[in-house]
Amino acid sequence: MELKFKYPIKIKTLEWIDGKVRWIDTSKLPFEEIYIESDDYERIAKAIEDMEIRGAPAIGVAAALAIAATAYKYRSLPLNELKIKLIKAIERLRQTRPTAYNLFWALERMAKVLEKEYNDSDTLCRAIIEEALKIYVEDINTNIAIGEYGAKLIEDGDTVLTHCNAGALATSAFGTALAIIRVAWYQGKKIKVIATETRPVLQGARLTVWELKKEGIPVILITDNMVGYVMSKGLVTKVIVGADRILSTGHVINKIGTYMIALTAKRHNIPFYVAAPTSTIDLRTPIAQVIIEERDPDEVRKVLGRVLITLEDVEVLNPAFDITPPDLVTAIVTEKGIIYPPYETNLKRVVEG
């Protein structure tokens, strides 16, 4: 599917090709650039669980495309049987990762298409594919809009610290936090990026560095525990991160370690920005009901699942995300504009308006 966008799309994390979903296996980067195609929703669900596909917007788009692939694959079934297949696929994909809100947002949209009346399987199949591709294209255009709004916050000469990977590899293409950096760079602003390694899965070291090197944007890699040092030395002028879920209160759920960075930024009077589409904003769930995903302890015991760095039987905590309170967040950049406090009022106004 060839589409034209305002800026060059150099990294296509997800694509729809002849009834199949194609994705880059981010778990193999930066050492191998491997693309996988499948029309099996179970295979795509496993790709999300195993973090071949990761990043809240990418997870949502991949789930929508998986439903489309299921519709295409089983389009010759009678209408009721096709509906049963699609409901089963939606329920399986709901179980993949509990924290990223875009997953549930995208599947809810697909489920609403399924609720309508259809005369035959072919009509239902076309409607499902149309909605999934709409979500896919919206994601890229949304990312570009986030980049353009956010670039207004970037000044010539800035050094931006980012955590984890909120780039093209976390979306269909272009990114959220890295979209802002990309657009600022395309505008000719002389900027640099400091990327944290992002233990334990090293998304910053493996993915953010790989993306920025492809763009030719200057990047320095640091360990997670250097954040206080580089800020105290005046080496950071802005922080921009992504989000997996933003609550109506302005609490930001993002990769583990984000909260510590926000606290340190506050101490050093450095603006802390969050970049995310409005599909990441969850106006319904109270903070007490947010599920923080606990991942395999071996992600901490080993480096990239290979090299053991501690005792095999040591007890491990491995939450994938933490929660940053709204008083530490300078602003939230969305495709509808930059949202400032009070978040409880302004998030609702922007999302529902």
Side-chain angles (χ1 to χ4, degrees), residues 14-314:
L14 292 161
E15 289 183 274
W16 171 259
I17 299 176
D18 299 327
K20 293 185 178 182
V21 185
R22 184 176 192 253
W23 68 91
I24 186 169
D25 183 350
T26 65
S27 70
K28 299 291 192 295
L29 290 171
F31 313 110
E32 297 177 273
E33 199 169 317
I34 295 172
Y35 291 85
I36 300 166
E37 285 185 20
S38 180
D39 60 4
D40 179 3
Y41 71 81
E42 177 60 38
R43 175 67 184 88
I44 298 164
K46 283 294 291 175
I48 293 169
E49 288 169 342
D50 295 343
M51 293 178 69
E52 293 176 18
I53 302 168
R54 34 72 56 200
I59 290 169
V61 174
L65 293 176
I67 302 306
T70 303
Y72 188 83
K73 184 178 182 178
Y74 295 107
R75 63 193 183 280
S76 60
L77 288 177
L79 181 59
N80 284 343
E81 289 184 34
L82 177 57
K83 282 187 175 182
I84 289 167
K85 281 280 187 189
L86 293 171
I87 290 167
K88 190 177 177 183
I90 288 169
E91 286 311 306
R92 171 66 182 97
L93 286 154
R94 279 190 204 279
Q95 306 308 313
T96 51
R97 298 195 69 188
T99 307
Y101 188 65
N102 303 65
L103 171 68
F104 306 102
W105 171 86
L107 289 174
E108 195 172 299
R109 279 182 62 170
M110 300 307 292
K112 282 180 180 175
V113 175
L114 195 55
E115 288 168 5
K116 296 175 184 176
E117 294 294 324
Y118 299 94
N119 293 323
D120 53 55
S121 294
D122 191 56
T123 307
L124 170 58
C125 178
R126 285 200 304 271
I128 288 284
I129 292 171
E130 183 180 334
E131 185 67 11
L133 293 179
K134 189 176 176 184
I135 290 170
Y136 172 78
V137 174
E138 277 177 16
D139 182 62
I140 299 174
N141 283 324
T142 289
N143 296 340
I144 289 169
I146 289 169
E148 291 186 322
Y149 278 115
K152 296 172 185 176
L153 302 170
I154 303 296
E155 299 171 78
D156 195 45
D158 267 344
T159 298
V160 179
L161 185 140
T162 191
H163 184 57
C164 194
N165 173 263
L169 295 169
T171 63
S172 302
F174 214 70
T176 54
L178 291 197
I180 295 171
I181 290 164
R182 279 189 166 90
V183 172
W185 181 256
Y186 296 159
Q187 289 173 346
K189 293 175 183 175
K190 294 180 176 64
I191 56 174
K192 290 186 293 187
V193 177
I194 293 177
T196 58
E197 60 178 349
T198 322
R199 279 279 291 149
V201 190
L202 302 171
Q203 294 98 322
R206 295 187 302 104
L207 308 180
T208 298
V209 168
W210 182 80
E211 280 197 41
L212 293 173
K213 283 285 188 182
K214 267 188 174 287
E215 291 276 13
I217 299 172
V219 58
I220 298 168
L221 177 66
I222 63 170
T223 60
D224 295 346
N225 52 5
M226 288 185 198
V227 170
Y229 176 83
V230 296
M231 288 187 182
S232 70
K233 292 292 183 183
L235 301 178
V236 177
T237 53
K238 305 266 177 19
V239 177
I240 307 176
V241 299
D244 287 77
R245 187 183 293 228
I246 299 170
L247 304 185
S248 63
T249 52
H251 287 84
V252 173
I253 295 99
N254 193 49
K255 183 55 57 187
I256 191 75
T258 303
Y259 179 30
M260 290 194 303
I261 292 169
L263 282 169
T264 311
K266 186 80 167 180
R267 172 68 179 81
H268 293 284
N269 297 312
I270 297 168
F272 180 91
Y273 298 115
V274 175
T278 53
S279 56
T280 300
I281 300 170
D282 174 7
L283 297 178
R284 295 180 290 194
T285 307
I287 191 168
Q289 292 179 17
V290 173
I291 298 170
I292 298 295
E293 179 185 2
E294 285 280 344
R295 293 188 58 81
D296 186 347
D298 273 349
E299 288 181 349
V300 176
R301 294 187 190 114
K302 299 176 181 178
V303 175
L304 298 181
R306 299 170 195 148
V307 181
L308 189 69
I309 60 170
T310 185
L311 300 179
E312 282 187 271
D313 62 349
V314 67

